[in-house]
Amino acid sequence: MTPEPFAATPEPPYFAVVFSSTRTPGDAGYGEMADRMVQLAALQPGFLGVESARGEDGFGITVSYWASEADIADWREQLEHRQAQQLGVEKWYERFELRVARVERAYGFSRG
Amino acid sequence: MTPEPFAATPEPPYFAVVFSSTRTPGDAGYGEMADRMVQLAALQPGFLGVESARGEDGFGITVSYWASEADIADWREQLEHRQAQQLGVEKWYERFELRVARVERAYGFSRG
């Protein structure tokens, strides 16, 4: 999908939404909607980036980064996102856990 | 590895270490060490759980949960963990980003 899997976040503090999930069997429109949600989130005020991984066991983690908790609340209420959340509960997710966290500090490493 | 991919965390507040990474090619002892680090972390005071996913593109996210920032600092300094960190920089990781965050709120969904 995205050529860069890492989010280019600013210096902390900022906020993270950690979304851990297992999917129901089959796609059922999920992949298309997931792509669409990333596109839409990127248009939201305060969006800083997103990182996502899902293993062969079906367990996935998506972390989106935001400038403020108010930006997260606005994204949660975005109309098309609300429709996606509804479909998530109706058919796409077997289980999920969502955690909102304040990033206090960060560092990185890159080879070469 | 673990039969339960979700961490059984308590009510917030607690802390999360979000570790995003891309691996160098080949295993080079990485899998064994990663398993060992999960076992060791689970013995540390304040450890609340860990969740991990890595996709076919090689990008992975591991989130470990802790009762306090002091517990995270103690784990960072644990001897065998420090040796693993050194090997990570020397050979296992192409790039990583580590973020320490305070989980403010959380909710979940489970089908059926």
Side-chain angles (χ1 to χ4, degrees):
Chain A
M1 274 279 310
T2 158
E4 177 50 82
F6 291 95
T9 44
E11 286 297 302
Y14 51 87
F15 289 83
V17 179
V18 181
F19 183 82
S20 309
S21 68
T22 44
R23 288 265 293 104
T24 50
D27 186 72
Y30 173 79
E32 192 179 340
M33 180 68 94
D35 291 350
R36 173 75 177 149
M37 287 305 113
V38 169
Q39 291 170 0
L40 275 182
L43 300 175
Q44 286 288 122
F47 176 82
L48 300 177
V50 63
E51 299 176 341
S52 198
R54 187 174 301 278
E56 289 184 358
D57 63 351
F59 182 72
I61 302 175
T62 296
V63 189
S64 60
Y65 301 100
W66 301 87
S68 74
E69 293 196 84
D71 295 325
I72 293 171
D74 288 347
W75 169 236
R76 188 183 60 230
E77 300 304 323
Q78 200 272 0
L79 182 61
E80 199 172 337
H81 185 208
R82 281 181 62 104
Q83 294 166 343
Q85 291 169 47
Q86 182 65 32
L87 290 169
V89 167
E90 284 175 8
K91 61 179 182 181
W92 287 325
Y93 293 114
E94 188 64 34
R95 177 178 171 188
F96 68 73
E97 300 292 331
L98 186 153
R99 297 172 174 99
V100 178
R102 182 181 191 273
V103 178
E104 311 275 5
R105 57 182 196 281
Y107 68 90
F109 162 79
S110 187
R111 187 169 304 277
Chain B
M1 272 288 311
T2 159
E4 175 53 83
F6 291 96
T9 44
E11 287 295 303
Y14 51 87
F15 290 82
V17 178
V18 181
F19 183 83
S20 309
S21 67
T22 44
R23 289 266 291 102
T24 49
D27 185 72
Y30 174 77
E32 190 179 341
M33 180 68 94
D35 291 350
R36 173 73 177 151
M37 287 305 112
V38 170
Q39 292 170 0
L40 275 182
L43 300 175
Q44 287 287 123
F47 176 82
L48 300 177
V50 61
E51 298 176 341
S52 198
R54 187 175 301 278
E56 289 183 0
D57 64 351
F59 182 72
I61 302 174
T62 296
V63 189
S64 60
Y65 301 100
W66 301 87
S68 75
E69 293 196 85
D71 294 325
I72 294 171
D74 287 346
W75 169 235
R76 188 183 61 229
E77 299 303 324
Q78 199 273 357
L79 182 61
E80 200 171 337
H81 185 209
R82 281 181 63 103
Q83 293 165 344
Q85 291 168 48
Q86 183 64 32
L87 290 169
V89 167
E90 283 176 10
K91 61 180 184 181
W92 287 325
Y93 294 114
E94 188 64 35
R95 179 179 170 187
F96 67 73
E97 300 292 332
L98 185 151
R99 297 172 174 98
V100 178
R102 182 182 191 273
V103 178
E104 311 275 4
R105 56 182 198 281
Y107 68 90
F109 162 79
S110 186
R111 188 168 303 278

